[in-house]
């Protein structure tokens, strides 16, 4: 889409570290944590925990981006967390018995939230669709490229 609209896919040299960090958190961290999390718990419960990422992003935004924690936002966060608590309340026994799945799924939500904070802090100076296209391309390239052998 970027190429078809005549926009550049080029990443400014000083943006590569941020792009790699966003990619690691939003793509790699998310997929690794959610893949392991789903293997340790029911997929429906796992998805509830995974998609708490907007709650964590809103909380992190107060500290990382300096966004105001207004009364309206605080009430919304409280209601969101209460809703998740109600939906998972019958599973709290499972948390004590097998916390690994819960930890991975919360890790997935938190990695996505951290990636979002990094992305919002950077003045990209490039089309948003190019940033979005590069994020999954970087981990895919790491999987495609064989590791380089070191010479003795």
């Amino acid at each position: 889409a970027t190429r078809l609209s005549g926009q550049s896919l080029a990443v400014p040299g000083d943006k590569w570290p941020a792009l790699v960090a966003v990619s690691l958190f939003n793509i790699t961290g998310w997929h690794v944590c959610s893949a392991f999390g789903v293997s340790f718990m029911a997929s429906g419960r796992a998805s509830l925990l995974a998609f708490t990422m907007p709650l964590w992003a809103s909380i992190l935004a107060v500290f990382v981006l300096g966004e105001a924690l207004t009364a309206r936002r605080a009430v919304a966060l409280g209601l969101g967390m209460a809703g998740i608590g109600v939906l998972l309340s019958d599973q709290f026994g499972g948390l004590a018995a097998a916390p690994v799945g819960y930890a991975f799924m919360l890790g997935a939500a938190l990695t996505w939230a951290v990636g979002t904070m990094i992305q919002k802090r950077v003045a990209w100076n490039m089309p948003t669709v190019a940033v979005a296209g590069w994020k999954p391309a970087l981990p895919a390239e790491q999987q495609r490229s064989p590791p380089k052998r070191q010479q003795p």
Side-chain angles (χ1 to χ4, degrees), residues 30 33-52 88 91 101-102 104-106 108-109:
W30 164 262
C33 287
S34 61
F36 280 110
V38 168
S39 69
F40 287 103
M41 62 187 303
S43 59
R45 298 298 178 192
S47 66
L48 283 173
L49 287 173
F51 289 99
T52 60
L88 293 175
Q91 296 292 311
Y102 289 84
F104 273 119
M105 294 316 297
L106 286 174

Side-chain angles (χ1 to χ4, degrees), residues 54-59 62 69 72-83:
L55 297 172
W56 303 117
S58 295
I59 292 168
V62 172
L69 182 59
R72 182 179 182 172
R73 184 176 283 178
V75 167
L77 286 169
L79 289 172
M81 288 184 181

Side-chain angles (χ1 to χ4, degrees), residues 1-3 5 7-9 119 126-136:
T2 305
R3 284 283 179 151
S5 67
Q7 296 176 321
S8 174
L9 291 171
Q119 185 165 338
M126 59 187 286
T128 303
V129 70
V131 174
W134 275 107
K135 287 190 325 185

Side-chain angles (χ1 to χ4, degrees), residues 5-40:
S5 67
Q7 296 176 321
S8 174
L9 291 171
V11 178
D14 64 327
K15 303 304 181 202
W16 278 106
L19 186 59
V20 169
V22 169
S23 178
L24 285 173
F25 282 99
N26 278 153
I27 306 298
T28 306
W30 164 262
H31 286 321
V32 168
C33 287
S34 61
F36 280 110
V38 168
S39 69
F40 287 103

